[in-house]
Amino acid sequence: MTAVTTRRSTGLLPTAVLLAGAIYCLFPVSWVLIAATKSPGELFTTPTMAFGTGFLSNVSDLLAYRDGVFWLWLVNTFVYAGGGSLLATVVAAVSGYALAKYRFPGRALIFNLLIGGILVPAVVLAIPQYLLFSKVGMADTYWAVLLPQILSPYSIYLARVYATAAIPDSLLEAGRIDGAGEWTLMSRVALPLMVPGMVTIFLFQFVAIWNNFLLPFIMLGDDGKFPLTVGLYTLLAAGANQPALYNLILTGALLSIIPLIALFLTMQRYWRTDLSSGAVK
């Protein structure tokens, strides 16, 4: 009886730690949700966790601010995040498959360089990237934000690991015996088996680009090309002189979370395991 009680007591500690971590992560989101419902008069006068009555007016004011510039920022964010993550997923899947299933000179060196690239913080590359794009006249363009996102060492690493585990060598050999070319093997055999891994890479890249602030902040000068992160930052900077903008910032932050939640809910069904079970007999 004592041993059972001890095990239960020991098991409560990880649960308590996870619960504390969940509260730590969810509390800011809860605060934004509640603060976005408050009118300018309620934001600094009502209790922190008390709901307000101004959510609909806040949304209306945000969407009407500067002739609807929030919509433009939202579209820009979808272009950067959607286009960048899609291209990054394709590049990562093809590169990871090649590194996992082909033997060629320099393969180990390339993989080691990828591992080294994962360790380099993005903030270190931001200024050199800006100088390069400025040199070729591409600064303050959509491409200046899109192109650096396409090649992701971490995504290629994940694709390589997943391809190694998900694609049996015997399945590829069976395809070659049946006369399938390398392009057919990759497009009709390998990539379909890698769909769950590609979905994971897409989601990671989408969230990373959606939340990216530093790169577009450095690359872009025209607020018509700003994503939500930089656009809301300009509102925050202006809020020092116009406190009424704080409600718009909070409402914009809340609305910017909704697409991420919707994306996770709609794409989680693609996370399937054992896709290749029974493929090789």
Side-chain angles (χ1 to χ4, degrees):
M1 193 66 161
T2 305
V4 174
T5 304
T6 303
R7 280 198 297 269
R8 288 181 178 176
S9 301
T10 305
L12 289 176
L13 180 60
T15 303
V17 172
L18 291 175
L19 182 60
I23 294 174
Y24 176 80
C25 294
L26 293 177
F27 180 78
V29 179
S30 303
W31 179 82
V32 170
L33 172 63
I34 294 172
T37 66
K38 298 181 180 182
S39 65
E42 296 171 333
L43 185 60
F44 298 107
T45 58
T46 58
T48 302
M49 302 305 290
F51 284 92
T53 59
F55 178 70
L56 293 180
S57 63
N58 290 339
V59 173
S60 177
D61 293 342
L62 175 64
L63 299 182
Y65 178 74
R66 289 182 51 194
D67 298 324
V69 71
F70 180 83
W71 288 109
L72 182 59
W73 294 340
L74 183 63
V75 171
N76 291 339
T77 307
F78 271 110
V79 170
Y80 296 136
S85 56
L86 183 62
L87 292 174
T89 301
V90 173
V91 171
V94 174
S95 303
Y97 168 72
L99 288 172
K101 295 302 174 180
Y102 291 100
R103 304 293 182 267
F104 53 88
R107 173 174 171 267
L109 176 62
I110 293 174
F111 185 69
N112 290 333
L113 290 175
L114 283 174
I115 298 298
I118 296 173
L119 302 178
V120 178
V123 64
V124 175
L125 301 176
I127 299 299
Q129 287 172 344
Y130 171 77
L131 295 176
L132 287 173
F133 279 102
S134 179
K135 190 73 174 179
V136 298
M138 294 181 65
D140 198 22
T141 65
Y142 286 97
W143 291 110
V145 179
L146 274 173
L147 290 180
Q149 314 282 358
I150 294 176
L151 187 62
S152 170
Y154 183 64
S155 296
I156 297 176
Y157 169 76
L158 286 180
R160 191 257 188 188
V161 172
Y162 192 87
T164 301
I167 306 173
D169 291 334
S170 55
L171 183 61
L172 297 178
E173 289 301 324
R176 292 188 179 100
I177 292 173
D178 290 339
E182 298 302 323
W183 173 258
T184 302
L185 287 174
M186 183 185 70
S187 60
R188 297 197 175 185
V189 178
L191 293 184
L193 293 175
M194 293 177 63
V195 166
M198 293 169 64
V199 169
T200 302
I201 293 170
F202 178 85
L203 288 175
F204 281 168
Q205 283 295 111
F206 191 94
V207 173
I209 299 173
W210 186 277
N211 293 328
N212 193 6
F213 170 78
L214 183 62
L215 183 65
F217 180 73
I218 292 176
M219 291 291 186
L220 303 175
D222 180 7
D223 65 353
K225 300 184 180 74
F226 285 171
L228 283 173
T229 51
V230 181
L232 293 176
Y233 171 78
T234 61
L235 282 179
L236 181 63
N241 299 320
Q242 304 177 57
L245 292 179
Y246 286 132
N247 292 79
L248 305 188
I249 298 167
L250 293 169
T251 306
L254 176 63
L255 296 181
S256 69
I257 299 173
I258 295 176
L260 296 180
I261 298 174
L263 181 68
F264 271 91
L265 292 178
T266 55
M267 298 194 72
Q268 65 179 350
R269 64 190 179 93
Y270 291 101
W271 277 318
R272 300 187 300 267
T273 57
D274 296 328
L275 290 180
S276 59
S277 297
V280 181
K281 296 183 180 179

